[in-house]
Amino acid sequence: MYDYTDFDEAFVRARVAQFTDQVERRLDGSLSEDEFRPLRLMNGLYLQLHAYMLRVAIPYGTLSPAKLRQLAWIADTYDKGYGHFTTRQNIQFNWPKLPDVPAILSALADVGMHAIQTSGNCVRNVTADHFAGAAADEVADPRPYAELLRQWSTDHPEFQFLPRKFKIAITGASADRAVTAAHDIGLRIVRNEAGETGFQVLVGGGLGRTPMVGMVVRDFLPEADLLPYVEAVLSIYNVIGRRDNKYKARIKITLHETGKPEITRMIEERFAELRPLFGGADQALFRDIQAAFAPPVLRDAPVAAFDAAYKADPAFRAFVDTNVAPHRHPDHAIVTISLKAHGETPGDATSDQMRLVADLAERHGHGDIRVSHEQNLILPHVHKSDLPALHAALKSAGLATANVGLLSDIIACPGMDYCSLATARSIPVAQEIAQRFKELDLEHEIGPLKLKISGCINACGHHHVGHIGILGLDRAGVENYQITLGGDGTGDMVIGDKTGPGFAYDQVTGAVERILRAYLALREAPEETFLQAFRRVGMEPFKTALYGEGERDAA
C-alpha cells in the first residue's frame, strides 16, 4: 500500500486548514450557501435531503486495518455508527454536522486519507479491480498505475474545472471486474506479442442519462506512455467538451458528436506534443510506487482443515462456493465479505463490523482490505486453512451471508432516502426483493445474477449493466420503476434493453419474481445462467411473463 510522503502530508493538512477557515466563515455568515457550495464540494461535502454527506476517497478501493478502524471511529464519533460503501469504491457518511467536518478531515489525514476530488468537475477517484494483486487471471497488478494516476491528477491545475466530472478505471486481469467500458477512460493491462506490458485504452464510456459503451482508441499503449496519453485525452476533452449543456458535457457525448476517427486523431496529435515533455520523472516515480505494492509473503501450510470443514459444514460450504474466488497461489483464497445481508441496506457497514474486518485482515489477510464497486469488502490474501475460523468470526457479526454474485447481492444507490437528486426509493426496493427471494429459497436455484437499482437517471446503481436493471423515476409525482434486461458490465459490456411500461413501487418485487420464474421455466439446463438464457431466447418470453399476451404487444 502506498504511504504518504512528507509532501502528501503537508498538502492534505493545508487543505484541511483551508477548509476549516471556510467552514468557520460559513457558520458566522461571512459566506453564503451559494458561495460555500463550490468550496465544500471541492472537499467532498454534499448537502443531501436531510443532512450533509461527506464522501471519503478510498483510492482504487484499497484499505489498511488502521484506515478502516479510523473510518469506524469517525462513524461512531461524528455520524450514526455506520458508513456506506459506494460503487466508486469510496465511503460516505450520511449524517455529519457541518461544524464537525474539519475535525473529520483532520482525523482522516491522521491515517493518510482525505475527501479531495470526490466531487466536482475533476478527475474523481481512480477505481480498479478489487482482486488486484491476488487474482489467478491477472496480467499485472493495476494498483501502482492507479496510484500514479491519482498523484498526477490530484490538484492538477489544468483539470480542476473540466466540462464535467471525469472517471478512470483500470483492470489488470482477463476478467474485467472494474467495468472499464463504463468509464470516461478505461484502461486494460495487456501484453503484446513481444511480451511487453501496456494498455488497451477505451474512451467515452458512461451510464447516466445517455448510457454508452467506451470505444477503443488504442489497442496497445506502452506502459511508459500512460501519463502523457491520459493527459492528451483530458486536454482534448477540456478544450472541445460541451460547457453549454451539463447533460451533454461528458466526454462520451464529445466523442459521439466528434466521431471516433476525428477524436482519436486529435488525441494522437496532442499525445505527440506532450510525450517529449515527460522526461522520465514519471517513470522514476512509478518505480518507487511499485515498490510499495510488493506482494505479501504467502505461507506454505497444509489445507486439510479447509477440506474437512468444507465436507462437514453445509453453511461453510455455501459460503466458500459463493464468496470465495481463486487466488494466484492455489493454497490461498480471495474472500468477499457481503454487505448485502437480506433485508439490510446494500453497502452499509456498522462501525463494529468495520473493526471486525480490520481485525480479521490483520489475523488472516496480511493487513489488506479492498472495497469493490459492487459495495462489498474483500480480503484478498487468506490461506485456505484460515477460512473456517474466518467464516465463524464473520458469522458472529452477521457478515457471512453466502450470496456474492446471486440475486440479493444487489447494487443500490441511496435513492430518495438520502439523495437530493433521486426521484424514487432504491434501498427499500432492494430490501424487499432480497427478503422475498430468501423466503422463496430460490436464490441458489436461480444462480449467478446481477441485479442493480438506481433511484434516478444518473444511474449511480449501474442499472444499465444489470442482468436485471431497475430505474426509479417520478411520473406525475408517483414513483415508477422501469425494468431493463440483458445488461452486462464485464469486458464485453452491454446496455440492457427496456422491457416496456414501468411498475409502481409495490409491483416491482412481483415483476422481478415473474421474470425469474420465466427464466427457470425456459432455461435448457441448471448450468444455463439468466444472462445466457436471455441471450438465447430474447426479450419476448420475459415481456409475456411481465405484461401478459395482450399487453406484451403494446409494450
Side-chain angles (χ1 to χ4, degrees):
M1 174 178 286
Y2 175 76
D3 291 322
Y4 272 18
T5 64
D6 291 342
F7 174 86
D8 298 320
E9 170 76 12
F11 175 84
V12 173
R13 294 291 181 186
R15 283 292 294 265
V16 173
Q18 180 188 61
F19 191 57
T20 299
D21 177 66
Q22 291 164 351
V23 169
E24 289 173 354
R25 286 188 284 143
R26 174 69 189 107
L27 291 171
D28 70 17
S30 303
L31 288 175
S32 68
E33 175 54 32
D34 285 345
E35 292 169 325
F36 182 58
R37 182 176 182 274
L39 304 176
R40 63 171 168 77
L41 289 175
M42 288 175 65
N43 292 279
L45 188 64
Y46 290 73
L47 187 57
Q48 299 281 62
L49 275 178
H50 311 294
Y52 285 101
M53 178 272 282
L54 181 66
R55 180 180 295 150
V56 177
I58 303 176
Y60 36 89
T62 295
L63 282 169
S64 67
K67 286 178 167 62
L68 189 54
R69 288 193 186 101
Q70 191 76 333
L71 294 174
W73 180 83
I74 289 168
D76 280 338
T77 307
Y78 299 111
D79 207 277
K80 294 189 176 183
Y82 71 96
H84 177 73
F85 291 98
T86 78
T87 54
R88 295 298 303 161
Q89 297 181 306
N90 292 320
I91 189 171
Q92 294 180 179
F93 294 108
N94 289 314
W95 303 100
K97 294 179 174 61
L98 181 57
D100 293 332
V101 174
I104 298 173
L105 296 179
S106 182
L108 291 170
D110 290 342
V111 292
M113 298 185 76
H114 59 73
I116 298 167
Q117 291 185 202
T118 59
S119 180
N121 294 336
C122 56
V123 178
R124 300 287 186 89
N125 187 40
V126 179
T127 58
D129 181 358
H130 42 271
F131 291 172
D137 64 338
E138 189 167 79
V139 176
D141 188 340
R143 292 174 301 155
Y145 303 101
E147 174 61 26
L148 180 68
L149 288 165
R150 184 193 72 83
Q151 293 194 28
W152 164 83
S153 63
T154 299
D155 218 32
H156 194 299
E158 187 177 347
F159 306 131
Q160 292 303 297
F161 300 97
L162 294 167
R164 198 72 173 87
K165 59 188 175 182
F166 201 92
K167 299 175 181 179
I168 302 174
I170 179 168
T171 183
S174 57
D176 187 349
R177 288 175 287 266
V179 205
T180 55
H183 285 74
D184 298 290
I185 293 179
L187 299 167
R188 297 170 177 171
I189 301 175
V190 294
R191 289 206 175 99
N192 63 12
E193 292 179 356
E196 299 166 321
T197 301
F199 305 91
Q200 183 188 63
V201 184
L202 294 84
V203 172
L207 302 179
R209 183 177 298 270
T210 310
M212 292 186 180
V213 179
M215 298 183 187
V216 176
V217 295
R218 263 290 188 116
D219 284 312
F220 185 81
L221 177 75
E223 178 183 70
D225 291 343
L226 176 61
L227 285 192
Y229 198 86
V230 171
E231 183 158 329
V233 174
L234 270 159
S235 57
I236 292 299
Y237 167 58
N238 204 19
V239 171
I240 69 171
R242 297 280 296 269
R243 296 177 189 269
D244 60 322
N245 185 331
K246 71 175 182 178
Y247 302 118
K248 297 183 178 181
R250 297 293 292 271
I251 195 173
K252 60 187 177 183
I253 305 298
T254 305
L255 189 151
H256 177 74
E257 292 181 340
T258 308
K260 179 184 172 183
E262 176 62 11
I263 204 166
T264 302
R265 182 194 66 76
M266 296 171 73
I267 291 168
E268 292 292 339
E269 283 189 1
R270 181 62 177 149
F271 170 67
E273 295 171 352
L274 288 170
R275 187 66 189 92
L277 305 180
F278 285 75
D282 58 324
Q283 293 308 296
L285 174 60
F286 178 67
R287 287 190 290 272
D288 290 341
I289 290 170
Q290 271 190 310
F293 290 91
V297 178
L298 302 176
R299 77 180 194 272
D300 289 319
V303 296
F306 165 78
D307 294 334
Y310 188 82
K311 291 176 183 177
D313 184 350
F316 176 68
R317 184 163 57 251
F319 178 81
V320 171
D321 289 347
T322 56
N323 294 35
V324 173
H327 193 280
R328 57 184 170 80
H329 190 296
D331 291 347
H332 284 68
I334 302 169
V335 179
T336 298
I337 301 167
S338 173
L339 300 182
K340 316 288 181 57
H342 299 86
E344 299 297 328
T345 301
D348 277 9
T350 68
S351 55
D352 286 341
Q353 289 173 331
M354 291 187 227
R355 280 186 282 268
L356 175 66
V357 173
D359 292 345
L360 293 174
E362 286 180 335
R363 196 177 309 148
H364 301 301
H366 298 271
D368 197 349
I369 305 156
R370 309 290 172 78
V371 182
S372 75
H373 80 272
E374 295 178 321
Q375 300 174 288
N376 292 317
L377 298 178
I378 290 93
L379 300 183
H381 306 289
V382 180
H383 195 278
K384 285 184 176 179
S385 64
D386 292 334
L387 286 174
L390 176 67
H391 174 256
L394 292 171
K395 188 175 180 180
S396 69
L399 287 172
T401 306
N403 67 343
V404 171
L406 300 181
L407 170 64
S408 62
D409 185 15
I410 298 169
I411 287 179
C413 73
M416 213 159 56
D417 287 291
Y418 295 100
C419 182
S420 57
L421 300 177
T423 49
R425 289 168 287 178
S426 296
I427 293 170
V429 176
Q431 291 169 326
E432 184 176 322
I433 292 171
Q435 284 288 76
R436 170 73 67 87
F437 282 88
K438 181 183 181 183
E439 292 163 4
L440 294 172
D441 196 24
L442 282 177
E443 263 194 295
H444 289 271
E445 175 69 17
I446 292 166
L449 185 76
K450 301 290 187 183
L451 194 152
K452 307 176 192 291
I453 305 173
S454 298
C456 81
I457 199 70
N458 290 308
C460 294
H462 294 190
H463 68 275
H464 293 294
V465 293
H467 300 166
I468 299 176
I470 301 172
L471 167 62
L473 298 169
D474 181 316
R475 299 288 191 210
V478 177
E479 290 168 297
N480 184 271
Y481 292 83
Q482 190 180 86
I483 295 178
T484 55
L485 300 179
D488 185 7
T490 60
D492 297 320
M493 185 176 127
V494 176
I495 304 298
D497 295 322
K498 297 176 186 176
T499 58
F503 296 87
Y505 172 78
D506 59 0
Q507 297 174 328
V508 177
T509 301
V512 172
E513 184 176 341
R514 293 197 296 280
I515 290 168
L516 292 174
R517 288 196 183 278
Y519 153 66
L520 292 174
L522 61 82
R523 69 182 178 183
E524 291 186 330
E527 295 76 29
E528 185 178 42
T529 67
F530 174 84
L531 188 58
Q532 289 167 342
F534 177 83
R535 288 173 174 174
R536 176 173 58 83
V537 305
M539 179 68 81
E540 289 309 307
F542 298 101
K543 278 191 175 183
T544 299
L546 276 174
Y547 304 107
E549 289 287 350
E551 291 187 44
R552 180 198 64 185
D553 297 331

